[in-house]
């Protein structure tokens, strides 16, 4: 069957199996920035944004992407033009093995879109589905706070 | 495990409820509904060859008024959690917030929780206690089913080929209260024990009516009728609640699993029930 959707801002039309999940088809089409972790919706490594809302792509059928806007970490920025969250992640040292990083940053992006200056509790709740087994959560939380401060300062300057 | 199900032959995206019901009725056991996808995409029986995706039907609306809540079956738990924050003293929002992580709640739907028939679906426990009405569309029309039926039957037996369209939760009345308590090791995990309670008090704070439901241990919720009977006519004081908890501990027969053994679950179900009733009584008193 065919699905049409937006992926990282580009219109796509893909032929997919009716029983395929989104994680599989994204990776089969070269989007290996979406990581395969637990395959049970528990670890958050495969997080994507669906119309701006983070969810695990391993527990989403490919057909559910029809008409939606899917964003992977590659849609946020890259090494030459990183998103402020990616920049902050590097600066505060929130990466160790990096496997959880794409999912964490996408969850953080959705949080900042909803709550530009989140409390620590809001940050912890937003990251509750993204497990990290090496760095832990202190540095990612720090990176999100830093990004929020920077984006709000920028906004303040622009608004003035 | 999540993954690829090569035995699925068709993925349907009906554009109307009639179309969806017709598909479910045509393919019966060979069809499964895709709501949020969190259960279907994880595990799909080999008999299922047709998936029926309901996301184009506009069933995700949530309406909260003093008269009650109309909760669209396709509303995800995060949406309900936010919209129902002030309803029933926050108990509905609180129950939704205990289901999985934020990523799960962004996807899992209310209708999916009601239909899945899995021990870790907590929402039917609360909906039964609140005596919500579940609207089920079938080829011969729409039926309002009491969520209390979820305490005695598997959802698949209640629903057949029907499709849940919405849940209607009655509005909060001043002398009524509800409570929900889930025993879990970390926020969002499957519960060791779950209980939900609803009480009505008279002007002397005596319980005149009560519903007490347990979950987390079997494919459907379990009504704790004997505990309800013990609570009606009492004021839900510490002595009564201790008695009720010990009664549950002796009579409730949950299954063991690798995480929690039966004895622990029995004890914790008593604790959860006691705390849910305490919450419900406090809400009923505070609502006056």
């Amino acid at each position: 069957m065919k699905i049409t959707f937006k992926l990282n801002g580009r219109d796509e039309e893909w032929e997919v199996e009716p029983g395929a999940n989104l994680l599989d088809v994204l990776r089969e089409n070269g989007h290996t920035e979406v990581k395969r972790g637990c395959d049970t919706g528990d670890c958050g490594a495969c997080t994507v944004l669906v119309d701006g809302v983070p969810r695990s792509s391993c527990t989403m059928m490919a057909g559910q992407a029809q008409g939606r806007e899917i964003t992977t970490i590659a849609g946020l920025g890259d090494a030459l033009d990183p998103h402020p969250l990616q920049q902050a992640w590097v600066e505060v040292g929130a990466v160790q093995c990096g496997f959880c990083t794409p999912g964490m940053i996408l969850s953080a992006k959705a949080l900042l879109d909803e709550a530009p200056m989140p409390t620590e509790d809001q940050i912890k709740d937003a990251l509750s589905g993204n497990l990290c087994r090496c760095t832990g959560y202190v540095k990612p939380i720090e990176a999100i706070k830093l990004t929020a401060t920077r984006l709000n300062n920028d906004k303040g300057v622009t608004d003035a | 495990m999540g993954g690829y199900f090569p035995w699925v032959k068709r993925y349907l995206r009906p554009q109307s409820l009639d179309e969806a019901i017709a598909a479910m009725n045509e393919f019966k056991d060979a069809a499964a509904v895709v709501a949020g996808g969190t259960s279907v995409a994880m595990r799909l029986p080999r008999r299922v060859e047709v998936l029926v995706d309901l996301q184009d039907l506009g069933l995700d609306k949530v309406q909260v008024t003093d008269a009650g809540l109309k909760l669209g079956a396709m509303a995800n738990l995060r949406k309900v959690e936010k919209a129902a924050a002030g309803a029933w003293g926050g108990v509905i929002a609180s129950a939704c917030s205990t289901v999985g992580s934020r990523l799960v709640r962004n996807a899992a739907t209310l209708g999916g929780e009601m239909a899945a028939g899995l021990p870790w679906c907590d929402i039917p426990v609360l909906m039964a206690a609140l005596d919500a009405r579940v609207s089920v569309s079938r080829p011969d029309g729409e039926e309002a089913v009491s969520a209390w039926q979820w305490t005695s039957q598997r959802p698949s037996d209640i629903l057949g080929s029907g499709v849940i369209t919405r849940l209607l939760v009655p509005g909060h009345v001043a002398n009524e209260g509800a409570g929900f308590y889930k025993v879990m090791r970390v926020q969002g995990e499957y519960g060791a024990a779950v209980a939900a309670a609803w009480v009505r008090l008279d002007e002397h704070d005596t319980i005149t009516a009560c519903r007490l439901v347990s979950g987390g241990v079997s494919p459907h919720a379990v009504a704790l009728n004997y505990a309800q009977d013990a609570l009606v006519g009492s004021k839900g004081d510490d002595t009564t609640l201790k008695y009720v908890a010990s009664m549950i501990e002796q009579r409730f027969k949950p299954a063991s699993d690798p995480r929690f053994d039966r004895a622990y679950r029995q004890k914790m179900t008593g604790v959860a029930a006691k705390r849910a009733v305490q919450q419900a009584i406090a809400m009923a008193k505070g609502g006056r």
Side-chain angles (χ1 to χ4, degrees):
Chain A
M1 66 177 201
K2 275 195 169 56
I3 55 167
T4 56
F5 63 109
K6 260 192 164 47
L7 179 60
N8 296 334
R10 287 179 44 167
D11 289 324
E12 300 281 353
E13 184 176 283
W14 289 0
E15 187 68 35
V16 300
E17 293 293 323
N21 72 28
L22 183 62
L23 171 63
D24 282 341
V25 300
L26 285 170
R27 290 183 61 84
E28 282 161 10
N29 282 278
H31 289 275
T32 52
E33 73 271 21
V34 187
K35 300 302 176 196
R36 182 188 302 283
C38 63
D39 246 354
T40 55
D42 290 310
C43 78
C46 65
T47 301
V48 294
L49 298 182
V50 181
D51 295 338
V53 177
R55 62 165 296 174
S56 301
S57 57
C58 72
T59 53
M60 179 172 172
M61 300 307 293
Q64 290 180 274
Q66 169 64 36
R68 304 283 187 169
E69 189 160 350
I70 308 293
T71 307
T72 72
I73 190 70
L76 253 57
D78 56 26
L80 294 176
D81 184 20
H83 184 277
L85 277 162
Q86 292 168 311
Q87 183 64 39
W89 235 256
V90 172
E91 285 178 28
V92 307
V95 183
Q96 192 164 315
C97 86
F99 204 78
C100 67
T101 303
M104 276 212 185
I105 291 181
L106 287 167
S107 287
K109 164 78 169 64
L111 170 67
L112 294 184
D113 287 345
E114 191 180 303
M117 278 302 276
T119 63
E120 189 155 325
D121 281 347
Q122 284 177 307
I123 296 173
K124 287 177 180 172
D125 182 47
L127 296 183
S128 63
N130 297 94
L131 304 186
C132 171
R133 300 294 83 171
C134 47
T135 302
Y137 303 93
V138 172
K139 292 294 181 183
I141 290 170
E142 200 180 309
I144 294 169
K145 286 180 178 171
L146 176 64
T147 309
T149 303
R150 282 177 175 167
L151 292 176
N152 280 282
N153 286 344
D154 288 351
K155 190 168 180 285
V157 170
T158 308
D159 287 346
Chain B
M1 298 290 279
Y4 168 50
F5 308 115
W7 55 89
V8 175
K9 296 185 171 59
R10 296 176 69 185
Y11 191 97
L12 305 179
R13 299 177 56 92
Q15 298 300 302
S16 70
L17 189 55
D18 285 347
E19 224 181 288
I21 294 162
M24 292 301 293
N25 199 47
E26 181 184 349
F27 298 106
K28 295 194 165 46
D29 280 356
V33 163
V34 179
T38 52
S39 296
V40 165
M42 279 243 296
R43 195 178 336 164
L44 199 62
R46 285 190 173 264
R47 63 178 161 76
V48 176
E49 296 183 348
V50 180
L51 293 176
V52 183
D53 185 333
L54 303 185
Q55 68 175 316
D56 292 338
L57 305 185
L59 296 175
D60 62 343
K61 294 178 182 63
V62 171
Q63 208 182 332
V64 181
T65 66
D66 288 345
L69 294 87
K70 292 180 182 170
L71 308 172
M74 286 292 284
N76 67 47
L77 298 182
R78 174 69 180 150
K79 184 173 184 174
V80 177
E81 186 184 339
K82 286 198 282 189
W88 276 96
V91 71
I92 297 170
S94 168
C96 289
S97 76
T98 69
V99 178
S101 67
R102 174 74 82 85
L103 295 177
V104 171
R105 298 196 297 278
N106 283 341
T109 64
L110 208 54
E113 274 271 315
M114 295 301 292
L118 297 167
W120 49 84
C121 290
D122 301 324
I123 300 303
V125 178
L126 179 61
M127 291 300 153
L130 290 171
D131 198 24
R133 301 283 135 178
V134 184
S135 294
V136 182
S137 282
R138 309 182 195 282
D140 53 350
E142 181 116 346
E143 185 189 358
V145 182
S146 167
W148 190 254
Q149 280 198 33
W150 265 250
T151 64
S152 58
Q153 285 176 281
R154 288 172 183 266
S156 54
D157 295 337
I158 300 169
L159 298 173
S161 299
V163 172
I164 299 177
T165 54
R166 66 180 179 180
L167 280 83
L168 302 169
V169 180
H172 179 221
V173 178
N175 59 335
E176 294 179 0
F180 176 87
Y181 197 87
K182 179 173 174 179
V183 178
M184 51 192 166
R185 291 172 301 187
V186 294
Q187 177 71 17
E189 78 157 359
Y190 305 153
V194 175
W198 168 89
V199 299
R200 179 183 294 143
L201 305 183
D202 68 10
E203 66 275 21
H204 306 294
D205 290 343
T206 299
I207 298 172
T208 58
C210 170
R211 288 188 290 269
L212 188 55
V213 186
S214 159
V217 294
S218 63
H220 62 72
V222 177
L224 301 170
N225 294 317
Y226 47 89
Q228 289 173 188
D229 295 344
L231 284 162
V232 172
S234 81
K235 289 184 186 297
D237 53 280
D238 283 350
T239 310
T240 306
L241 289 176
K242 272 185 191 166
Y243 169 68
V244 164
S246 67
M247 188 193 288
I248 292 169
E249 205 179 321
Q250 286 165 26
R251 295 178 61 168
F252 190 54
K253 307 291 182 202
S256 290
D257 72 18
R259 298 167 310 136
F260 307 108
D261 67 21
R262 184 178 187 163
Y264 179 73
R265 281 205 146 120
Q266 283 175 307
K267 182 123 189 130
M268 288 303 107
T269 300
V271 170
K274 179 178 157 185
R275 292 186 184 171
V277 172
Q278 282 172 329
Q279 282 176 24
I281 291 171
M283 189 191 298
K285 287 180 179 173
R288 291 213 180 95

